[in-house]
Amino acid sequence: MQLEKDMSHPRGKEKRDESAMGTNNSSIVSKRSVERLYCPGEDFFRYFVKKPQRRSPTINRGYWLRMQTLEHVVHKFLEEPTGKTKILVNLGDPLPFQFLAKNPEKCRNIKFIDVDYTKLMTRKCSVIMETEQLRRLLSGVELPVSQGNVVLRSDQYLAVGCDLRELEDLERTLVGEVDIENCLVLFTAEVSVTYMEVEAADALIKWAAARFCLLEQFLPDGPENPFADTMLRHFKKLSTPLRSIHKYPLIEDQQRRFRDAGWPVAVAHDLWKLWSMPGFLTTGQRTSLNSVEPFDEWEELALFASHYFLLFAGKNPFLKGEELYRILLQEDIPSGKTENNQNTRDTAATAFCGSAKHQGRRRFAAAAPLVGGGVAYHGGLGAKTRLNSCELISHDGNADTKIPRTLPGSRPRMCHTLTSLEGGQFLLVGGRSSPDNALADCWIYDLHTTEWYRAEDIAIPRYRHCAVGLPNAQVLVFGGKTSNGDVLDDCLVWGQNSGWKSVCVKGDIPPASFGAAMIAAVSGGILLGGMTAEGIVLEGYWEWNFEMDNEGAFIKFRSTSSQFKDVIEVENPFCRFGSSLAWSPLGSGILLIGGIHGTRMLGEDNEILLIDNTNYSVATLNLDFGARRPLFVGSSVVSTPEAMLIIGGGATCFSFGTYWNDGLWALSVDGQDRLSWRFQENVAGSSSSDVRPTAPSHTISHVQRISIKSGQDFEALLSKAQPAILEGLDIGDCIQNWTFTYLKERIGAGRQVIVHKAQREHMDFQAKNFSYVSQNFGDFLDAVEGGQKLYLRSVSSEEPASKPAVLSQDFPEISGDFRLPPELDFIIQNAHSSPLRISGPVVMWLHYDVMANVLCQVRGDKRLLLYPPDDVGHLCFPPGASSSSLNVFESNPETYPHLAHTHPHQVVLHPGDILFIPALWLHTASPTDGVSVSVNVFFRNLRTGYAVGRDVYGNRDLQPYEKGRLNLARMVQSFEQLPVDVGKFYLRRLADELVQKANAYGLSESVSN
C-alpha cells in the first residue's frame, strides 16, 4: 500500500517514468544487437546506443521477430494505394529512419511522428542532429523549436515530447502540425502503453484515430504459468509493472478492449503463431536466420513469442478484406486458453519429490532406468554450464547400482539420449556441446562392471534425435540435427556386435525433423511431432514397425493422424517439439508430456495428454503438481516398474530470469509409494580407469558464450579453469573510436614501434621465420591495412627489456578509451600487463601462457584454437619451451596423427567480446578478415609458484617446473657412470613412476572434496 501511495506522489510518478524510460533504453540496445547480426549494412539503431552489447541468441531472435512483426505492418501501410497523405504516429523506439533510408520512394507521401517522454525525445533529437547519416534523411529541419511540445520538425519527421497521459495536450500538438482528419493515420505502440495506468491507456486507445497497431505482452496461460510469473516479477522488480496485462490478460480480452473503445474491427495473433503463419514470414526468411548465429533455444523462443501479441484495430472506413492487413485477418483468433474438448481422466497419483541443494537442476539431460533399480540422470545444461556428471535417482533411497560421477574422456553435453539395453547396459548417443557442435561419440555403461566404454561413433554427429530400444539389445535412432544445421531423416540401428547400420525406411516416410518424440513397444511404436529445418513444428503422428523381408531389416511408417480427427475438436495435440512419450502407469495408453506446441501456448490442462492409440482418442489428466507449477521444457521422462518420473527441466525466460524445476515428479497408480523417490548419494569412482581404451577422436568444441553479473561470477569461472567468452560487458569507447585514422591522430603517425615482420602467414617462434623491425606507427597501420604480414605486440615504452607492457603507460593517448568492467575487478587488482595487439593477416604461433589472461577484441574478428593443458604432449612442444612450431590451422589427424588425441576448442571473437584464457591453455590465433585490434590483460591468480625475477611477457614457467628441470638434469647426470643399458633401464623406470604420479596428482584431494 505504501508503494502505491509513493508512486502517486509527483516524485513517485517521476521515478516510475524514469524506470519506463529505462526499458526503452534496454530495448534499443537489444535492437542494435539484432541490427548488427541479422541486418548487415543497416546502422540505424547504432547511433542511439553508446555501449553496444551482443545479446543472447534467444533475445536476438525474439527481438528480430518483434521488429519483423512491426516492419511487416508498416511496409503494408507504406504500400497501400491512397490519394491521402499518410501519418504514422509511433509511441516508443525510434522507428522511421530505417524506412526513410531503405524505402525512400514509398515514404514520399508519409510523415512519421514519434511521441515519447520529453526527456527521451530531446536525447533522440540530439543524436539525430549530431549524426550526419540520420540528419541527411530529413529536409526542412527546424531545431530548436521555441515553444510547445515539438522537439524537432522536418518535412518527413516530427518529434513530439509529450506525456501520453495528457491527451488534450497531445491532440493540440498533432492538430497544429498535421491535418489528421484528411489523412490516413496509423498508430503503432510497441510495449509502451502497457506501462501506463490502465485508465490512461484505455483513454489513449479510445482517442486514437483510424488504425492502431499494438504489440505487447499478455498471459495466454494465466499469471501462474512459470514463464508468465518470471516475466511479471521481472518488470515489477524494475518498478515498471505491466499494468494492462491483469485487466486484459488474454487476446480476446484485448480485442474486447478495443471494440468497447469504438474500434469495430480488432484482430490479433501471438507472435509464435505469426512465426509459422504462411504469408507472414517466408521459408527463406526463416532459414536465413540459421546462418547468422548458432541457435537451439526453440522452446525459450516459443515461450517468449507466445506471451507477446500483435493486434490491429480499425475504425470506419475500414474494409476487412483489404490487402494491407490480409495476413492478420485470414484466420479466426484463438482464445488464450483453448476450450478443452478432449476427454478428461481424473487422477491424483502424482506428487512432487523434493531434492536437496538444487539436485536435479538440469535441462536437456538424458535419463534411463537401471536394471538393479533406480534411474541414471546424465549431462544436460546446469545452472552455469553444460554437465558431464551423472546423478542416481532411487526408489526408497536404495539402489543396487553405482554409477561413476563423470564419464571420463567424454565432453559435457546436452540434447543426447540414454537408452536401456537388455542385460543391464545402456547406450549414450551423440548430443551437442553448442548448437554448431554436434557430437558423434557413443558410450556404453555396463551395470555389472560399473564401467563406461566407448562404442562405435555414429556416422553423422547429431543432437535432438530420437532413440528407442529394440529386441536383442539394439537401439533405433531417428533424425536429429547436425553441426551445420542440416536436419536428418535417416534411421540407424545399433547392435553390440554389428555397430551402426543404416536401415531402409518404407511406407509413409516422415519428413526430416529434430526434437520429435518416439516410443517403442517390442518391435514397433509411435513417432510424433518434431521441427523442420526452417523452425516449423510438425503435426504428424506415425506408427512404425521394425520388420524383415528378403532384402533385410527395414522400418515401415504409417501416418495415422487422420484417424484422430473425429474425436479431437481442438488444434492438433501432436504438433509438439521437445516433448516426451512414456507408457502410462495408470493403465493402457501413452502419455505425451511437455515441450512446446507449434501454434499456441500449452496450458496446465493440456501439457500432459493420455493417448489411446488403439481407439485413437485423447484424454487430459487432472494432475496435482503442488504449489509451484513445473515448466516441462527440457525435462527428462523415464518409465520404471514403480512409476513414471519427470525429472528436472525449466527454461531461461528471455531476459527475465531462469525458472528451474527442482527435484522430480512421480506418477504412479500406487499413491503410497510415489513420495519415496529421491536423489541418492552416488559414490562410484570416476578416475580414468573407469573408461576402457578406445579409438581417439578429434571433434572441435566451441567455447561457450556466457554472461556474468558480478565479480563473484568471474571468480567462479576462474576456479573452473575453462575458457569462456564473456558477453555483454563494457570495455569502453574503444569499440567505436579505434579506427586506424583515430589511432594515428592520437598516438602519432611518426611514433616508432617494434613489430614482427613475417615471411609467411604462419609465424613460428621456434624457427624465427620473422624479424623484429622498427617502423613509424602510421606506416605500420597502412601496411597492415594493405595486407602485409605484420604484427604488433606492444612492449614497455620505457624499459622494454625489463618491464611488462601497460596500456595506460605505453599509450596514454588512447588508454582512456579502454577499461575493464567492474565484474572483472579481480583482474584489475591482480594485473601483470596489458599489451596492445594489432595484427595483419598472420597466424600467431601455438603457445601457452603461465598467467591467465583475458583477450578483449576491439576491432575485426579473430579466430582462435585452444587446447586444454593435458594436450601439450601431443602438440610438438619441445622440452622447456612454451611454444610449438605446429600450425594446427593447417593440420589434421591424417597429416599429423597425434592431433587425433587432442581436444581443440574453437572460438571466433567479435568486437566487444572478452575471451577468458585460463593459465596453461595452449592457443593460437589469426584474424578472419586480415586486420585485428585487441588488448590482452594478463593477471596473477596463484598465491605462490611464479618464477623469481623478471617476467616481461608473463609466460615464464612456474618456479617448481624450472627447479624440476634442473633436478632432472642432475638426476640424469648421476647415471652417467653406469653402463648405457642399465642407465636407460632405471631412467625409464623413473619416467614411468613420474607419469604415474602425474596421473594420480590431485586425485586424493578431489575425492575427499
Side-chain angles (χ1 to χ4, degrees):
M1 293 298 293
Q2 186 63 43
L3 177 63
E4 290 299 322
K5 289 180 181 178
D6 290 343
M7 291 309 248
S8 65
H9 189 274
R11 184 173 297 175
K13 175 179 174 293
E14 182 179 342
K15 181 179 179 181
R16 186 178 61 223
D17 291 348
E18 286 287 346
S19 299
M21 285 187 272
T23 65
N24 177 278
N25 295 335
S26 176
S27 173
I28 294 177
V29 170
S30 297
K31 290 181 176 181
R32 172 56 184 155
S33 178
V34 173
E35 185 178 65
R36 292 173 67 193
L37 291 171
Y38 289 77
C39 310
E42 296 184 15
D43 289 316
F44 307 106
F45 287 104
R46 68 172 292 188
Y47 307 113
F48 299 94
V49 178
K50 290 186 177 180
K51 301 176 182 178
Q53 300 177 28
R54 180 166 178 165
R55 300 298 202 195
S56 71
T58 308
I59 295 176
N60 282 336
R61 195 163 291 205
Y63 264 93
W64 180 90
L65 184 56
R66 270 177 58 168
M67 294 161 67
Q68 189 69 28
T69 299
L70 280 180
E71 284 186 28
H72 183 91
V73 174
V74 173
H75 275 299
K76 292 295 184 182
F77 181 64
L78 295 177
E79 294 168 355
E80 184 176 5
T82 178
K84 298 182 177 181
T85 298
K86 297 174 184 175
I87 304 293
L88 193 152
V89 182
N90 176 54
L91 313 175
D93 293 346
L95 182 70
F97 295 97
Q98 52 192 310
F99 297 102
L100 289 170
K102 294 191 296 184
N103 306 102
E105 292 298 322
K106 295 179 182 178
C107 295
R108 290 185 179 278
N109 193 35
I110 186 170
K111 189 154 196 170
F112 293 95
I113 302 177
D114 272 351
V115 182
D116 214 328
Y117 290 101
T118 301
K119 184 181 291 187
L120 273 181
M121 289 309 308
T122 301
R123 293 178 195 161
K124 291 178 185 178
C125 291
S126 295
V127 172
I128 293 169
M129 295 306 296
E130 294 170 0
T131 307
E132 170 63 23
Q133 292 89 337
L134 299 178
R135 192 174 65 250
R136 68 188 179 200
L137 297 173
L138 308 178
S139 60
V141 177
E142 297 180 20
L143 180 75
V145 177
S146 58
Q147 58 182 340
N149 296 319
V150 176
V151 182
L152 183 149
R153 180 187 291 112
S154 74
D155 298 331
Q156 301 87 357
Y157 175 69
L158 189 71
V160 177
C162 183
D163 190 327
L164 294 177
R165 293 164 291 203
E166 307 296 335
L167 291 179
E168 291 184 3
D169 197 19
L170 177 59
E171 181 172 11
R172 189 182 313 112
T173 300
L174 295 182
V175 169
E177 296 292 330
V178 293
D179 184 7
I180 289 183
E181 294 297 326
N182 295 306
C183 294
L184 191 62
V185 182
L186 171 65
F187 280 80
T188 61
E190 180 187 4
V191 193
S192 54
V193 300
T194 189
Y195 300 124
M196 299 170 62
E197 294 84 354
V198 179
E199 296 77 10
D202 287 347
L204 172 67
I205 290 170
K206 187 173 183 178
W207 165 83
R211 298 168 181 178
F212 205 115
C213 178
L214 177 67
L215 191 155
E216 63 184 37
Q217 304 93 333
F218 77 118
L219 303 175
D221 187 38
E224 297 82 16
N225 177 276
F227 183 97
D229 179 65
T230 305
M231 176 178 71
L232 293 173
R233 289 175 184 270
H234 167 79
F235 284 106
K236 184 176 181 180
K237 185 178 180 180
L238 295 178
S239 300
T240 55
L242 307 179
R243 300 179 182 278
S244 300
I245 203 170
H246 297 288
K247 185 174 181 180
Y248 308 107
L250 303 177
I251 280 184
E252 56 263 38
D253 296 327
Q254 290 284 355
Q255 292 175 274
R256 186 182 66 254
R257 175 192 197 182
F258 273 78
R259 289 169 183 152
D260 291 347
W263 301 79
V265 177
V267 295
H269 291 298
D270 67 68
L271 300 194
W272 184 235
K273 184 154 191 164
L274 288 176
W275 165 265
S276 58
M277 188 178 287
F280 179 74
L281 291 177
T282 66
T283 297
Q285 284 178 302
R286 282 187 288 261
T287 54
S288 67
L289 302 181
N290 297 331
S291 62
V292 176
E293 62 180 334
F295 183 81
D296 188 39
E297 293 77 12
W298 290 103
E299 292 91 346
E300 295 169 354
L301 175 65
L303 289 170
F304 160 78
S306 296
H307 282 82
Y308 283 72
F309 69 89
L310 177 71
L311 179 145
F312 178 81
K315 292 181 178 178
N316 291 331
F318 181 81
L319 299 176
K320 186 173 180 179
E322 64 180 305
E323 173 63 21
L324 173 56
Y325 307 107
R326 179 185 59 79
I327 187 61
L328 286 176
L329 303 174
Q330 67 181 14
E331 300 183 35
D332 292 333
I333 307 306
S335 300
K337 287 191 174 182
T338 306
E339 182 181 353
N340 181 16
N341 294 302
Q342 300 132 312
N343 301 316
T344 302
R345 182 172 297 185
D346 293 327
T347 178
T350 186
F352 171 68
C353 301
S355 62
K357 297 181 180 179
H358 304 309
Q359 286 177 306
R361 279 201 169 188
R362 301 171 185 241
R363 312 199 300 266
F364 305 103
L370 301 171
V371 173
V375 171
Y377 188 41
H378 175 269
L381 181 64
K384 294 184 177 180
T385 187
R386 290 175 293 277
L387 304 172
N388 189 31
S389 58
C390 195
E391 294 184 271
L392 182 62
I393 302 166
S394 63
H395 189 233
D396 294 324
N398 294 306
D400 297 333
T401 58
K402 303 296 181 185
I403 300 177
R405 291 188 188 92
T406 60
L407 204 169
S410 169
R411 294 180 181 164
R413 69 189 66 216
M414 57 192 289
C415 302
H416 55 300
T417 56
L418 279 182
T419 308
S420 294
L421 307 173
E422 299 170 359
Q425 297 179 324
F426 52 76
L427 178 70
L428 182 155
V429 177
R432 69 169 177 85
S433 58
S434 62
D436 58 349
N437 188 24
L439 303 176
D441 56 325
C442 301
W443 299 79
I444 296 174
Y445 177 72
D446 191 319
L447 184 66
H448 305 295
T449 62
T450 65
E451 291 182 348
W452 288 96
Y453 63 93
R454 187 74 170 265
E456 179 188 2
D457 288 2
I458 197 166
I460 302 176
R462 67 190 66 206
Y463 60 93
R464 286 196 186 258
H465 51 278
C466 299
V468 294
L470 295 175
N472 302 317
Q474 298 182 101
V475 174
L476 169 66
V477 165
F478 169 78
K481 195 171 187 180
T482 68
S483 298
N484 62 8
D486 291 339
V487 178
L488 305 171
D489 62 355
D490 57 347
C491 281
L492 302 170
V493 172
W494 176 89
Q496 184 84 50
N497 299 319
S498 59
W500 289 104
K501 301 291 184 184
S502 180
V503 179
C504 179
V505 179
K506 299 182 179 181
D508 302 325
I509 300 175
S513 69
F514 66 105
M518 198 175 198
I519 194 171
V522 190
S523 60
I526 303 298
L527 173 73
L528 67 80
M531 182 175 282
T532 67
E534 64 172 296
I536 301 298
V537 181
L538 293 167
E539 299 181 357
Y541 182 97
W542 295 269
E543 297 178 4
W544 60 269
N545 285 287
F546 185 60
E547 302 179 8
M548 298 284 293
D549 61 12
N550 295 333
E551 298 178 356
F554 64 92
I555 304 290
K556 185 174 183 179
F557 286 94
R558 183 168 68 97
S559 175
T560 54
S561 303
S562 60
Q563 300 193 40
F564 287 88
K565 296 291 186 182
D566 296 335
V567 293
I568 297 178
E569 301 176 13
V570 296
E571 286 186 271
N572 193 330
F574 311 132
C575 183
R576 294 209 190 187
F577 170 79
S579 61
S580 300
L581 291 172
W583 295 107
S584 172
L586 307 175
S588 61
I590 299 169
L591 291 178
L592 172 59
I593 303 148
I596 58 170
H597 195 275
T599 59
R600 59 185 170 89
M601 182 73 196
L602 290 175
E604 190 174 17
D605 58 345
N606 54 26
E607 277 184 307
I608 300 180
L609 299 177
L610 179 62
I611 303 171
D612 183 343
N613 61 312
T614 301
N615 298 315
Y616 295 104
S617 63
V618 176
T620 60
L621 301 176
N622 290 332
L623 302 175
D624 179 14
F625 288 106
R628 188 173 185 265
R629 273 188 62 182
L631 181 57
F632 291 136
V633 166
S635 301
S636 299
V637 177
V638 177
S639 292
T640 73
E642 298 86 5
M644 185 204 75
L645 305 182
I646 307 176
I647 314 166
T652 299
C653 302
F654 205 60
S655 59
F656 312 137
T658 301
Y659 191 97
W660 287 101
N661 295 337
D662 288 321
L664 57 92
W665 288 263
L667 179 63
S668 65
V669 176
D670 186 356
Q672 294 180 353
D673 291 337
R674 67 181 188 270
L675 291 173
S676 57
W677 287 91
R678 62 176 181 265
F679 292 87
Q680 180 174 317
E681 180 65 22
N682 191 12
V683 296
S686 58
S687 68
S688 59
S689 62
D690 287 311
V691 184
R692 300 175 187 174
T694 59
S697 65
H698 186 255
T699 303
I700 298 179
S701 300
H702 285 258
V703 176
Q704 64 174 338
R705 290 180 172 271
I706 65 172
S707 297
I708 61 172
K709 305 298 183 184
S710 65
Q712 290 80 8
D713 287 349
F714 177 73
E715 291 185 36
L717 173 65
L718 186 62
S719 66
K720 293 179 181 178
Q722 291 289 319
I725 304 168
L726 310 181
E727 293 187 313
L729 298 179
D730 179 17
I731 62 172
D733 296 332
C734 54
I735 302 295
Q736 293 83 22
N737 291 350
W738 284 9
T739 63
F740 279 5
T741 301
Y742 176 87
L743 293 176
K744 290 178 191 176
E745 292 175 351
R746 297 303 298 269
I747 295 173
R751 175 171 167 175
Q752 291 291 298
V753 290
I754 304 297
V755 301
H756 300 67
K757 184 176 182 180
Q759 302 167 14
R760 300 173 53 196
E761 183 179 272
H762 175 238
M763 294 197 300
D764 185 347
F765 186 80
Q766 296 294 327
K768 293 292 192 297
N769 65 344
F770 58 87
S771 57
Y772 296 103
V773 298
S774 178
Q775 289 189 349
N776 289 334
F777 185 64
D779 294 340
F780 162 71
L781 292 183
D782 291 341
V784 166
E785 206 157 32
Q788 292 191 29
K789 300 179 182 67
L790 298 173
Y791 175 74
L792 167 67
R793 192 273 191 202
S794 69
V795 294
S796 170
S797 58
E798 298 177 355
E799 301 178 47
S802 58
K803 287 186 177 181
V806 178
L807 185 71
S808 60
Q809 299 173 10
D810 304 327
F811 296 98
E813 307 88 350
I814 62 169
S815 62
D817 298 335
F818 173 82
R819 62 176 173 269
L820 286 181
E823 292 86 350
L824 302 184
D825 184 65
F826 181 92
I827 300 177
I828 298 171
Q829 299 302 321
N830 296 278
H832 167 269
S833 56
S834 50
L836 172 68
R837 298 183 185 271
I838 302 177
S839 175
V842 295
V843 175
M844 180 66 176
W845 54 82
L846 181 66
H847 68 285
Y848 65 82
D849 297 303
V850 175
M851 293 185 188
N853 66 93
V854 287
L855 180 62
C856 306
Q857 191 66 16
V858 176
R859 180 179 173 188
D861 293 344
K862 178 179 287 188
R863 181 189 177 204
L864 293 95
L865 282 176
L866 300 92
Y867 296 82
D870 285 349
D871 287 352
V872 68
H874 305 297
L875 292 168
C876 292
F877 278 75
S882 61
S883 65
S884 167
S885 296
L886 182 64
N887 183 359
V888 291
F889 285 121
E890 296 182 355
S891 303
N892 57 61
E894 295 181 359
T895 60
Y896 185 71
H898 282 279
L899 280 179
H901 301 274
T902 64
H903 306 84
H905 292 59
Q906 179 173 261
V907 60
V908 175
L909 295 181
H910 310 292
D913 285 342
I914 301 177
L915 174 64
F916 166 60
I917 305 177
L920 304 182
W921 272 70
L922 324 164
H923 55 282
T924 179
S926 176
T928 62
D929 55 2
V931 176
S932 169
V933 180
S934 58
V935 176
N936 229 169
V937 184
F938 293 83
F939 62 98
R940 299 178 178 88
N941 64 306
L942 299 178
R943 294 190 184 96
T944 61
Y946 292 111
V948 178
R950 290 182 302 181
D951 187 6
V952 175
Y953 296 101
N955 63 352
R956 184 175 167 185
D957 280 309
L958 295 178
Q959 187 176 13
Y961 177 73
E962 291 186 344
K963 290 181 64 177
R965 293 198 70 229
L966 291 174
N967 292 334
L968 180 63
R970 295 191 188 102
M971 183 174 60
V972 173
Q973 189 177 10
S974 68
F975 285 91
E976 289 181 354
Q977 303 302 320
L978 297 174
V980 174
D981 56 338
V982 176
K984 284 185 177 179
F985 172 81
Y986 282 109
L987 283 172
R988 284 169 177 160
R989 291 210 62 195
L990 286 172
D992 290 340
E993 185 176 349
L994 187 61
V995 169
Q996 291 174 20
K997 289 184 179 296
N999 290 337
Y1001 186 78
L1003 284 181
S1004 59
E1005 180 182 356
S1006 64
V1007 170
S1008 64
N1009 290 338

